[in-house]
Amino acid sequence: MCRSGVGMAWNVFKFCTALRGLGSIMILLVLGVVGVSYYAVVLSSYGPALLHGGLDTLVSLVVLILFHGLLVMLLWSYFSVVFTDPGGVPPNWRPVYDEETGVADPLTASEFGAVPSDEEECRIRFCRKCNQLKPPRCHHCSVCGRCVLKMDHHCVWVVNCVGALNYKYFLLFLFYTFLETTLVSLSLLQHFIAFFGDGEIPGTPGTLATTFLSFVLNLAFALSVMGFLIMHISLVAGNTTTIEAYEKRTAPKWRYDLGRRRNFEQVFGTDKRYWFVPAYSEEDIRRIPALQGLDYPSKPDLDGQEL
Protein backbone atom coordinates (compact mmCIF):
# COMPACT_ATOMS: atom_id res chain seq x y z
CA MET A 1 0.00 0.00 0.00
CA CYS A 2 2.80 2.38 0.93
CA ARG A 3 4.66 1.61 -2.26
CA SER A 4 1.65 2.42 -4.39
CA GLY A 5 1.30 5.76 -2.61
CA VAL A 6 4.93 6.58 -3.30
CA GLY A 7 4.48 5.58 -6.93
CA MET A 8 1.44 7.82 -7.24
CA ALA A 9 3.30 10.79 -5.76
CA TRP A 10 6.19 10.16 -8.14
CA ASN A 11 3.82 10.06 -11.14
CA VAL A 12 2.12 13.30 -10.10
CA PHE A 13 5.52 14.97 -9.81
CA LYS A 14 6.45 13.75 -13.27
CA PHE A 15 3.14 15.07 -14.57
CA CYS A 16 3.82 18.50 -13.07
CA THR A 17 7.27 18.52 -14.62
CA ALA A 18 5.74 17.65 -18.01
CA LEU A 19 3.59 20.79 -17.79
CA ARG A 20 6.64 22.80 -18.81
CA GLY A 21 6.28 21.35 -22.29
CA LEU A 22 2.81 22.80 -22.82
CA GLY A 23 4.23 26.27 -23.38
CA SER A 24 2.40 28.24 -26.03
CA ILE A 25 -0.18 25.47 -26.57
CA MET A 26 -2.28 26.70 -23.65
CA ILE A 27 -2.00 30.31 -24.81
CA LEU A 28 -3.18 29.27 -28.28
CA LEU A 29 -6.04 27.34 -26.70
CA VAL A 30 -7.18 30.45 -24.78
CA LEU A 31 -6.95 32.56 -27.93
CA GLY A 32 -8.86 29.86 -29.80
CA VAL A 33 -11.77 30.07 -27.34
CA VAL A 34 -11.69 33.87 -27.67
CA GLY A 35 -11.72 33.56 -31.46
CA VAL A 36 -14.68 31.18 -31.52
CA SER A 37 -16.61 33.46 -29.15
CA TYR A 38 -15.78 36.54 -31.22
CA TYR A 39 -17.01 34.89 -34.40
CA ALA A 40 -20.24 33.71 -32.80
CA VAL A 41 -21.11 36.98 -31.04
CA VAL A 42 -19.71 39.71 -33.29
CA LEU A 43 -19.47 38.33 -36.81
CA SER A 44 -22.36 35.89 -36.79
CA SER A 45 -25.01 37.25 -34.41
CA TYR A 46 -24.88 40.84 -33.16
CA GLY A 47 -22.71 42.46 -35.82
CA PRO A 48 -25.24 41.85 -38.63
CA ALA A 49 -28.11 42.75 -36.25
CA LEU A 50 -26.83 46.34 -36.12
CA LEU A 51 -28.39 46.84 -39.55
CA HIS A 52 -31.86 45.64 -38.53
CA GLY A 53 -32.85 48.94 -36.98
CA GLY A 54 -35.04 49.64 -33.97
CA LEU A 55 -34.61 47.74 -30.72
CA ASP A 56 -32.39 45.10 -32.36
CA THR A 57 -29.83 47.75 -33.23
CA LEU A 58 -29.84 49.17 -29.70
CA VAL A 59 -29.46 45.75 -28.05
CA SER A 60 -26.72 44.75 -30.47
CA LEU A 61 -24.83 47.99 -29.83
CA VAL A 62 -24.93 47.48 -26.06
CA VAL A 63 -23.82 43.85 -26.34
CA LEU A 64 -20.96 44.69 -28.71
CA ILE A 65 -19.70 47.57 -26.55
CA LEU A 66 -19.71 45.39 -23.42
CA PHE A 67 -18.18 42.46 -25.28
CA HIS A 68 -15.25 44.45 -26.67
CA GLY A 69 -14.67 46.37 -23.43
CA LEU A 70 -14.51 43.19 -21.35
CA LEU A 71 -12.43 41.45 -24.01
CA VAL A 72 -9.78 44.18 -23.89
CA MET A 73 -9.56 43.97 -20.09
CA LEU A 74 -9.52 40.15 -20.19
CA LEU A 75 -6.64 39.99 -22.67
CA TRP A 76 -4.75 42.79 -20.91
CA SER A 77 -5.01 40.96 -17.60
CA TYR A 78 -4.23 37.59 -19.17
CA PHE A 79 -1.02 38.63 -20.90
CA SER A 80 0.01 40.58 -17.79
CA VAL A 81 -0.09 37.30 -15.86
CA VAL A 82 1.68 35.42 -18.64
CA PHE A 83 4.57 37.86 -19.10
CA THR A 84 5.01 39.17 -15.54
CA ASP A 85 7.59 37.39 -13.42
CA PRO A 86 5.76 36.23 -10.26
CA GLY A 87 8.83 37.11 -8.19
CA GLY A 88 12.03 35.26 -7.46
CA VAL A 89 14.41 35.38 -4.52
CA PRO A 90 17.06 38.08 -5.12
CA PRO A 91 20.67 36.84 -5.26
CA ASN A 92 22.35 36.75 -1.85
CA TRP A 93 19.08 37.57 -0.09
CA ARG A 94 19.32 37.64 3.70
CA PRO A 95 16.55 38.07 6.28
CA VAL A 96 16.04 41.40 7.97
CA TYR A 97 17.43 41.46 11.48
CA ASP A 98 15.75 43.18 14.38
CA GLU A 99 18.06 46.03 15.38
CA GLU A 100 16.89 45.91 19.00
CA THR A 101 17.17 42.18 19.62
CA GLY A 102 19.80 41.37 17.03
CA VAL A 103 17.94 38.25 15.84
CA ALA A 104 16.19 37.35 12.61
CA ASP A 105 12.47 37.09 12.29
CA PRO A 106 11.47 33.44 12.81
CA LEU A 107 9.92 32.42 9.53
CA THR A 108 8.96 28.85 10.24
CA ALA A 109 6.37 27.94 12.84
CA SER A 110 5.52 31.53 13.76
CA GLU A 111 4.08 32.15 10.30
CA PHE A 112 1.13 30.04 11.36
CA GLY A 113 0.63 31.64 14.77
CA ALA A 114 2.65 29.07 16.68
CA VAL A 115 5.54 29.83 18.97
CA PRO A 116 8.76 27.90 18.34
CA SER A 117 9.60 25.74 21.33
CA ASP A 118 13.36 25.96 20.90
CA GLU A 119 16.06 27.60 18.83
CA GLU A 120 16.15 24.66 16.42
CA GLU A 121 12.65 25.50 15.18
CA CYS A 122 13.53 29.20 14.84
CA ARG A 123 15.89 28.68 11.93
CA ILE A 124 15.37 30.57 8.73
CA ARG A 125 13.89 28.40 5.98
CA PHE A 126 16.30 27.07 3.40
CA CYS A 127 15.54 25.58 -0.02
CA ARG A 128 17.79 22.61 -0.74
CA LYS A 129 16.78 22.50 -4.40
CA CYS A 130 17.71 26.14 -5.05
CA ASN A 131 20.47 26.11 -2.41
CA GLN A 132 19.36 29.44 -0.99
CA LEU A 133 17.47 31.02 1.90
CA LYS A 134 13.70 31.40 1.53
CA PRO A 135 11.94 34.68 2.38
CA PRO A 136 8.65 34.54 4.29
CA ARG A 137 5.72 33.07 2.35
CA CYS A 138 8.05 31.81 -0.37
CA HIS A 139 7.68 28.30 -1.83
CA HIS A 140 9.52 26.20 -4.36
CA CYS A 141 7.73 25.47 -7.65
CA SER A 142 8.62 22.09 -9.12
CA VAL A 143 7.33 23.11 -12.55
CA CYS A 144 9.32 26.35 -12.79
CA GLY A 145 12.26 24.81 -10.92
CA ARG A 146 12.78 27.78 -8.59
CA CYS A 147 11.47 29.48 -5.46
CA VAL A 148 8.59 31.90 -6.04
CA LEU A 149 7.70 34.78 -3.73
CA LYS A 150 4.30 34.35 -2.07
CA MET A 151 3.54 31.49 -4.44
CA ASP A 152 -0.14 30.67 -4.87
CA HIS A 153 0.03 27.94 -7.51
CA HIS A 154 1.40 27.13 -10.94
CA CYS A 155 -1.32 27.78 -13.52
CA VAL A 156 -1.22 25.86 -16.80
CA TRP A 157 -3.63 28.34 -18.41
CA VAL A 158 -1.17 31.22 -18.06
CA VAL A 159 1.94 29.00 -18.43
CA ASN A 160 3.40 30.73 -15.39
CA CYS A 161 3.48 30.70 -11.63
CA VAL A 162 1.05 32.93 -9.79
CA GLY A 163 2.97 34.77 -7.08
CA ALA A 164 3.49 38.09 -5.35
CA LEU A 165 4.10 40.19 -8.44
CA ASN A 166 1.29 38.91 -10.68
CA TYR A 167 -1.39 37.68 -8.26
CA LYS A 168 -3.53 40.79 -8.74
CA TYR A 169 -3.33 40.35 -12.52
CA PHE A 170 -4.45 36.74 -12.13
CA LEU A 171 -7.46 37.76 -10.04
CA LEU A 172 -8.44 40.37 -12.61
CA PHE A 173 -8.09 37.76 -15.34
CA LEU A 174 -10.54 35.53 -13.44
CA PHE A 175 -12.88 38.47 -12.85
CA TYR A 176 -13.02 39.62 -16.47
CA THR A 177 -13.16 36.04 -17.76
CA PHE A 178 -16.22 35.41 -15.61
CA LEU A 179 -17.93 38.60 -16.82
CA GLU A 180 -17.06 37.96 -20.48
CA THR A 181 -18.12 34.32 -20.53
CA THR A 182 -21.33 35.17 -18.69
CA LEU A 183 -22.10 37.90 -21.23
CA VAL A 184 -21.45 35.55 -24.15
CA SER A 185 -23.58 32.81 -22.59
CA LEU A 186 -26.52 35.17 -22.06
CA SER A 187 -26.10 36.70 -25.51
CA LEU A 188 -26.17 33.33 -27.26
CA LEU A 189 -28.82 31.75 -25.03
CA GLN A 190 -31.68 32.49 -27.41
CA HIS A 191 -29.72 30.98 -30.30
CA PHE A 192 -28.94 27.89 -28.23
CA ILE A 193 -32.62 27.43 -27.30
CA ALA A 194 -33.55 27.75 -30.98
CA PHE A 195 -31.55 24.60 -31.72
CA PHE A 196 -34.18 22.57 -29.87
CA GLY A 197 -37.18 24.28 -31.43
CA ASP A 198 -39.23 23.25 -34.46
CA GLY A 199 -38.61 26.40 -36.48
CA GLU A 200 -35.95 26.85 -39.13
CA ILE A 201 -32.71 28.41 -37.91
CA PRO A 202 -31.03 30.88 -40.30
CA GLY A 203 -27.35 30.48 -41.04
CA THR A 204 -24.91 28.03 -42.54
CA PRO A 205 -24.08 24.73 -40.79
CA GLY A 206 -20.65 26.08 -39.91
CA THR A 207 -22.11 29.22 -38.33
CA LEU A 208 -24.66 27.23 -36.35
CA ALA A 209 -22.00 24.79 -35.12
CA THR A 210 -19.74 27.65 -34.04
CA THR A 211 -22.58 29.35 -32.16
CA PHE A 212 -23.51 26.10 -30.40
CA LEU A 213 -19.88 25.39 -29.46
CA SER A 214 -19.31 28.94 -28.26
CA PHE A 215 -22.32 28.83 -25.95
CA VAL A 216 -21.31 25.49 -24.42
CA LEU A 217 -17.68 26.54 -23.91
CA ASN A 218 -18.52 29.92 -22.40
CA LEU A 219 -21.16 28.50 -20.08
CA ALA A 220 -18.71 25.85 -18.87
CA PHE A 221 -15.98 28.44 -18.29
CA ALA A 222 -18.38 30.83 -16.55
CA LEU A 223 -19.47 28.19 -14.04
CA SER A 224 -15.96 26.87 -13.35
CA VAL A 225 -14.33 30.30 -13.12
CA MET A 226 -17.09 31.49 -10.78
CA GLY A 227 -16.16 28.84 -8.22
CA PHE A 228 -12.46 29.57 -8.63
CA LEU A 229 -13.08 33.31 -8.28
CA ILE A 230 -15.12 32.86 -5.10
CA MET A 231 -12.33 30.77 -3.61
CA HIS A 232 -9.69 33.40 -4.36
CA ILE A 233 -11.88 36.21 -3.01
CA SER A 234 -11.98 34.34 0.30
CA LEU A 235 -8.19 33.91 0.17
CA VAL A 236 -7.67 37.64 -0.40
CA ALA A 237 -10.05 38.43 2.46
CA GLY A 238 -7.84 36.35 4.77
CA ASN A 239 -4.54 37.53 3.23
CA THR A 240 -3.46 34.01 2.39
CA THR A 241 -2.65 31.89 -0.65
CA THR A 242 -3.81 28.50 -1.88
CA ILE A 243 -0.66 26.84 -0.52
CA GLU A 244 -0.86 28.68 2.81
CA ALA A 245 -4.54 27.86 3.21
CA TYR A 246 -3.62 24.18 3.04
CA GLU A 247 -0.60 24.50 5.33
CA LYS A 248 -2.34 26.51 8.05
CA ARG A 249 -5.64 24.62 8.08
CA THR A 250 -5.01 23.45 11.67
CA ALA A 251 -3.60 26.78 12.94
CA PRO A 252 -5.90 28.84 15.21
CA LYS A 253 -4.63 32.22 13.96
CA TRP A 254 -2.85 33.64 10.93
CA ARG A 255 -0.23 36.29 11.58
CA TYR A 256 -0.71 38.06 8.22
CA ASP A 257 -4.47 38.56 8.61
CA LEU A 258 -4.68 42.36 9.02
CA GLY A 259 -8.41 42.76 8.51
CA ARG A 260 -10.32 42.58 5.24
CA ARG A 261 -9.59 46.11 4.03
CA ARG A 262 -5.85 45.97 4.67
CA ASN A 263 -5.71 42.42 3.31
CA PHE A 264 -7.31 43.68 0.11
CA GLU A 265 -4.81 46.53 -0.11
CA GLN A 266 -1.91 44.09 0.24
CA VAL A 267 -2.92 42.68 -3.17
CA PHE A 268 -4.68 45.52 -5.01
CA GLY A 269 -3.03 48.58 -3.47
CA THR A 270 -4.70 51.66 -2.01
CA ASP A 271 -5.20 53.69 -5.19
CA LYS A 272 -8.77 53.00 -6.32
CA ARG A 273 -7.99 54.13 -9.87
CA TYR A 274 -5.83 51.01 -10.31
CA TRP A 275 -8.03 48.43 -8.61
CA PHE A 276 -9.57 47.15 -11.84
CA VAL A 277 -6.54 47.40 -14.15
CA PRO A 278 -3.46 45.12 -14.16
CA ALA A 279 -1.08 47.80 -12.92
CA TYR A 280 -0.05 49.62 -9.74
CA SER A 281 0.53 53.27 -9.01
CA GLU A 282 4.11 54.28 -8.25
CA GLU A 283 2.95 55.48 -4.84
CA ASP A 284 1.54 52.07 -3.93
CA ILE A 285 4.68 50.27 -5.08
CA ARG A 286 6.75 52.58 -2.92
CA ARG A 287 4.53 52.49 0.17
CA ILE A 288 3.36 48.85 0.28
CA PRO A 289 6.26 46.40 0.81
CA ALA A 290 4.02 43.37 0.19
CA LEU A 291 3.77 44.32 -3.49
CA GLN A 292 7.51 43.61 -3.78
CA GLY A 293 7.05 40.14 -2.31
CA LEU A 294 9.79 40.19 0.33
CA ASP A 295 8.35 41.94 3.37
CA TYR A 296 4.86 41.50 4.81
CA PRO A 297 3.28 43.34 7.74
CA SER A 298 1.80 41.12 10.41
CA LYS A 299 -0.20 41.36 13.60
CA PRO A 300 1.96 42.72 16.44
CA ASP A 301 0.41 40.32 18.95
CA LEU A 302 1.44 37.32 16.83
CA ASP A 303 5.04 38.37 16.12
CA GLY A 304 6.91 36.00 18.36
CA GLN A 305 4.46 36.30 21.28
CA GLU A 306 2.74 33.36 22.89
CA LEU A 307 -0.91 32.85 22.02
Side-chain angles (χ1 to χ4, degrees):
M1 181 67 69
C2 293
R3 290 183 178 180
S4 62
V6 173
M8 182 178 296
W10 183 86
N11 291 333
V12 170
F13 175 77
K14 288 295 184 181
F15 173 75
C16 292
T17 304
L19 293 178
R20 302 175 189 174
L22 289 178
S24 59
I25 296 178
M26 298 305 296
I27 298 178
L28 293 176
L29 180 58
V30 171
L31 295 179
V33 175
V34 171
V36 170
S37 302
Y38 194 91
Y39 179 85
V41 174
V42 179
L43 302 181
S44 176
S45 301
Y46 289 89
L50 284 174
L51 305 177
H52 293 173
L55 183 60
D56 287 346
T57 298
L58 179 61
V59 172
S60 298
L61 184 62
V62 172
V63 170
L64 291 175
I65 291 176
L66 289 176
F67 178 87
H68 285 92
L70 292 174
L71 181 60
V72 168
M73 298 307 300
L74 186 159
L75 293 177
W76 184 10
S77 301
Y78 178 70
F79 285 109
S80 294
V81 185
V82 172
F83 294 114
T84 300
D85 191 310
V89 182
N92 302 319
W93 176 86
R94 291 294 180 272
V96 178
Y97 282 82
D98 192 319
E99 295 181 356
E100 295 183 1
T101 62
V103 298
D105 180 30
L107 305 178
T108 316
S110 62
E111 282 194 0
F112 305 103
V115 179
S117 58
D118 50 44
E119 295 182 358
E120 182 69 16
E121 294 183 4
C122 239
R123 294 180 301 176
I124 304 301
R125 298 187 306 159
F126 185 83
C127 179
R128 295 181 179 180
K129 296 180 180 179
C130 296
N131 195 31
Q132 64 183 8
L133 297 176
K134 296 171 66 174
R137 313 185 72 178
C138 177
H139 292 82
H140 184 87
C141 176
S142 298
V143 180
C144 295
R146 63 167 182 158
C147 287
V148 176
L149 300 178
K150 195 186 175 185
M151 178 181 173
D152 186 88
H153 69 289
H154 186 93
C155 181
V156 296
W157 290 100
V158 301
V159 200
N160 196 5
C161 256
V162 177
L165 305 187
N166 64 355
Y167 185 48
K168 173 190 174 182
Y169 309 157
F170 176 74
L171 295 176
L172 290 177
F173 167 58
L174 293 181
F175 176 67
Y176 289 119
T177 297
F178 172 70
L179 294 181
E180 180 79 329
T181 53
T182 300
L183 174 66
V184 173
S185 299
L186 293 176
S187 301
L188 299 180
L189 179 60
Q190 59 178 338
H191 301 282
F192 180 78
I193 295 176
F195 279 101
F196 303 96
D198 297 329
E200 183 178 352
I201 306 175
T204 65
T207 299
L208 298 178
T210 304
T211 301
F212 186 91
L213 177 63
S214 179
F215 174 83
V216 173
L217 285 176
N218 279 274
L219 180 61
F221 275 112
L223 295 176
S224 59
V225 170
M226 179 179 64
F228 206 43
L229 183 61
I230 292 174
M231 182 193 77
H232 277 281
I233 290 175
S234 66
L235 293 177
V236 172
N239 197 8
T240 187
T241 65
T242 302
I243 294 177
E244 292 169 344
Y246 174 78
E247 291 180 342
K248 72 181 181 68
R249 64 191 185 281
T250 58
K253 295 184 179 180
W254 177 235
R255 66 179 295 191
Y256 298 112
D257 188 355
L258 309 175
R260 291 185 179 180
R261 180 175 180 81
R262 290 193 62 192
N263 291 343
F264 177 86
E265 293 173 349
Q266 295 296 299
V267 177
F268 286 85
T270 59
D271 194 333
K272 297 179 181 179
R273 297 174 300 174
Y274 289 82
W275 281 358
F276 294 99
V277 296
Y280 291 103
S281 66
E282 294 183 2
E283 184 69 15
D284 277 345
I285 294 177
R286 184 170 60 253
R287 292 179 52 188
I288 304 178
L291 299 182
Q292 301 297 327
L294 291 171
D295 186 23
Y296 301 93
S298 56
K299 291 182 179 180
D301 57 330
L302 294 182
D303 284 333
Q305 295 185 15
E306 188 171 356
L307 299 176

